[in-house]
């Protein structure tokens, strides 16, 4: 898994081609296509119900796509399950476990090795920015922001080549949000490929090198933030997004 | 399965075990439930000794027989009940004594009739309506009366045999036909004197399984549904965890609950022997086997619910399913108290055999009665069913089953 972090052979780390999900009840999502280079930060932006979560779930193997293909480091894969770490929008935790137990639990699930998991959990503990005392407390005593930092900490520390983040800084105070954004940037510089879904245009503009506007199950615009601003003659991404999705 | 697969199973199992062990409310409920049955027995026995009741003996006859009967009744009531007795000589009011729970009235001419050869001897009993204490007192009075009646009958037979000039044994006249009954096993061999007691213990122990099974099953049965509803399942679904690893991890995680339940069950089974069966001890081997059956019953419950939860979506459905399973368990364990399952017609027995808890009951009963082979056969059915369901669960596992829609 960590060898994929060193994947330099193809131009793109992740290639998604014509991904479609058809539900028995509900709208059709797709076709979705995009490419992300190694160490790239790709942002999926769209209103509620646009298909962001379904797209992420197809990528992660939670939903089996009705059509389309995924290539990881040039190799066709069924999904990113096991090679991507993920932080969903909802900070779901086990209330009776301590913060550190969470870190160790996920580290052991990904590595399967106790010694390695211990090292990753210690690394994740630093990423969370939570004190040792807080990490020894049961998570049921945590605030929403602390839970988010916990899950982000472990997702960032895991040696997965891909990191998928759904609204990574939602619910965090300014200091925590800045801390997390810096970590995301730093992990991308180390070669981690990051996919994030966000409503926060400021965040997207600051972090992403590729942005996809998604609306009604389809990508309506795709490019670097600069390309999108030029294409829609917009002052910022928010304006570009409004113009792209109102057409 | 490779080394990292085992590591993942270990991670999930220890996480689930920690969560369960820290769930103090459920553990407290399990402790209370496990000891509920022996506690109920103790409470009923204890409360019975605290009953206040007055047994009045109203003597309206002046003969020696009336005095003898009154003394006998008084002796029995004092010996076998916590009730008070009072003797009243009230020839003017030969009826119930006001304030008494039970009044035994010995009428006029009682002694004359008792000493005669052919007259009936009647006493009257007045008992307070709807009083369990009155029923207890009546039962003891009846025992004393049957002893008194036997003495009178023996006297009459002796006197008649003297008149007839015959040598008669009063016992053979009074009870010409006697039953000698012996307990036998299914093979027809004479059963040991303790077998009957063991059978009774086994019947109650089989019922007692439910008290531990119920909270333990509820605690572990929603292990999958809980992941789905809390949202943690969405993160789990993305990890390298495979279906087999998920099912094995969840099952091994429930072992902590099962181990606690098994220990509680063992303690409760032994307590039951002392408390409810008035000092008769539950043999340690029977208690241990009973604990094993409780563990298997919980495992099969876990396997059914994991399989069903992976098949159907929604917490409500999972809760409904758990209630249905524990309800079925209650039905089986309760029926086993009063019904001999083995003696049921084949079609009914076949239906009951589909339910794993029937095998739990039959395993406990067979083992207590010394039929170890049959007990193991029933245990094997439960083990195989659990195993089959675990394999089925691993097959139906899909990551989207862990995600709330």
């Amino acid at each position: 898994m960590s060898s994929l972090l060193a994947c330099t052979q193809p131009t793109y780390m992740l290639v998604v081609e014509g991904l479609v999900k058809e539900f028995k009840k509900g709208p059709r999502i797709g076709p979705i296509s995009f490419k992300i280079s190694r160490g790239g930060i790709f942002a999926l932006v769209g209103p509620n119900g646009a298909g962001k979560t379904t797209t992420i779930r197809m990528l992660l193997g939670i939903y089996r796509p009705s059509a389309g293909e995924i290539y990881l480091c040039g190799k066709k894969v069924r999904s990113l399950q096991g090679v991507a770490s993920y932080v969903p929008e909802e900070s779901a935790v086990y209330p009776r476990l301590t913060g550190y137990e969470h870190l160790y639990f996920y580290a052991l699930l990904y590595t399967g090795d106790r010694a390695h998991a211990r090292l990753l959990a210690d690394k994740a503990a630093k990423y969370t920015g939570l004190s040792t005392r807080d990490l020894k407390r049961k998570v049921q005593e945590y605030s929403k922001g602390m839970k988010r930092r916990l899950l982000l900490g472990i997702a960032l520390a895991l040696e997965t080549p891909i990191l998928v983040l759904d609204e990574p800084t939602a619910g965090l105070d300014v200091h925590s949000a800045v801390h997390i954004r810096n970590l995301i940037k730093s992990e991308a510089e180390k070669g981690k490929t990051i996919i994030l879904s966000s409503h926060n245009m400021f965040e997207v503009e600051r972090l992403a090198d590729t942005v996809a506007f998604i609306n009604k199950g389809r990508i309506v615009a795709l490019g670097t933030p600069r390309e999108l601003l030029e294409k829609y003659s917009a002052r910022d991404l928010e304006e570009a997004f409004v113009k792209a999705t109102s057409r | 399965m490779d080394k990292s697969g085992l590591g993942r199973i270990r991670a999930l199992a220890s996480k689930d075990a920690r969560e369960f062990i820290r769930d103090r409310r459920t553990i407290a409920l399990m402790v209370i439930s496990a000891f509920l049955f022996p506690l109920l027995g103790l409470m009923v026995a204890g409360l019975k000794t605290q009953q206040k009741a007055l047994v009045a003996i109203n003597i309206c006859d002046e003969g020696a027989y009336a005095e003898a009967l009154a003394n006998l009744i008084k002796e029995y009531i004092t010996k076998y009940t916590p009730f008070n007795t009072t003797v009243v000589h009230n020839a003017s009011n030969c009826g119930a004594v006001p304030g008494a729970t039970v009044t035994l009235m010995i009428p006029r001419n009682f002694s004359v009739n008792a000493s005669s050869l052919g007259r009936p001897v009647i006493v009257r009993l007045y008992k307070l309506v709807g009083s369990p204490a009155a029923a207890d007192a009546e039962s003891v009075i009846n025992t004393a009366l049957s002893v008194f009646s036997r003495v009178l009958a023996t006297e009459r037979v002796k006197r008649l045999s003297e008149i007839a000039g015959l040598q008669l044994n009063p016992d053979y006249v009074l009870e010409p036909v006697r039953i000698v009954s012996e307990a036998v096993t299914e093979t027809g061999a004479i059963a040991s004197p303790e077998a009957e007691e063991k059978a009774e213990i086994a019947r109650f122990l089989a019922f007692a399984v439910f008290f531990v099974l119920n909270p333990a099953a509820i605690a572990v049965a929603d292990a999958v549904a809980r992941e789905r509803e809390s949202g943690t399942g969405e993160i789990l679904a993305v990890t390298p965890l495979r279906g087999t690893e998920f099912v094995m991890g969840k099952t091994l995680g429930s072992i902590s609950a099962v181990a606690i339940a098994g220990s509680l069950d063992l303690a409760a089974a032994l307590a039951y022997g002392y408390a409810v069966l008035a000092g008769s001890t539950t043999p340690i081997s029977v208690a241990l086997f009973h604990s094993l059956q409780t563990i298997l019953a919980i495992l099969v419950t876990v396997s059914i619910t994991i399989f069903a939860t992976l098949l159907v979506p929604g917490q409500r459905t999972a809760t409904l399913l758990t209630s249905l399973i524990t309800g079925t368990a209650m039905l089986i364990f309760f029926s086993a108290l009063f019904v001999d399952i083995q003696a049921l017609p084949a079609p009914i027995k076949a239906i009951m055999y589909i339910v794993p808890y029937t095998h739990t009951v039959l395993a406990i009963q067979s083992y207590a009665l010394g039929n170890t082979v049959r007990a193991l056969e029933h245990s094997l059915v439960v083990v195989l069913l659990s195993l089959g369901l675990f394999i089925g669960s691993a097959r139906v596992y899909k990551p989207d089953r862990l995600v709330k829609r």
Side-chain angles (χ1 to χ4, degrees), chain B residues 134-156:
Chain B
D136 288 351
E138 184 187 12
S139 168
V140 173
I141 291 169
N142 275 333
T143 309
L145 278 175
S146 71
V147 170
F148 190 80
S149 187
R150 178 85 184 189
V151 171
L152 284 189
T154 306
E155 270 183 22
R156 286 183 177 187

Side-chain angles (χ1 to χ4, degrees), chain B residues 212-236:
Chain B
V212 183
L213 174 75
N214 193 32
I218 290 168
V220 294
D222 70 340
V224 179
R226 208 167 48 227
E227 300 274 10
R228 185 158 58 199
E229 289 309 306
S230 68
T232 48
E234 191 167 353
I235 308 175
L236 276 188

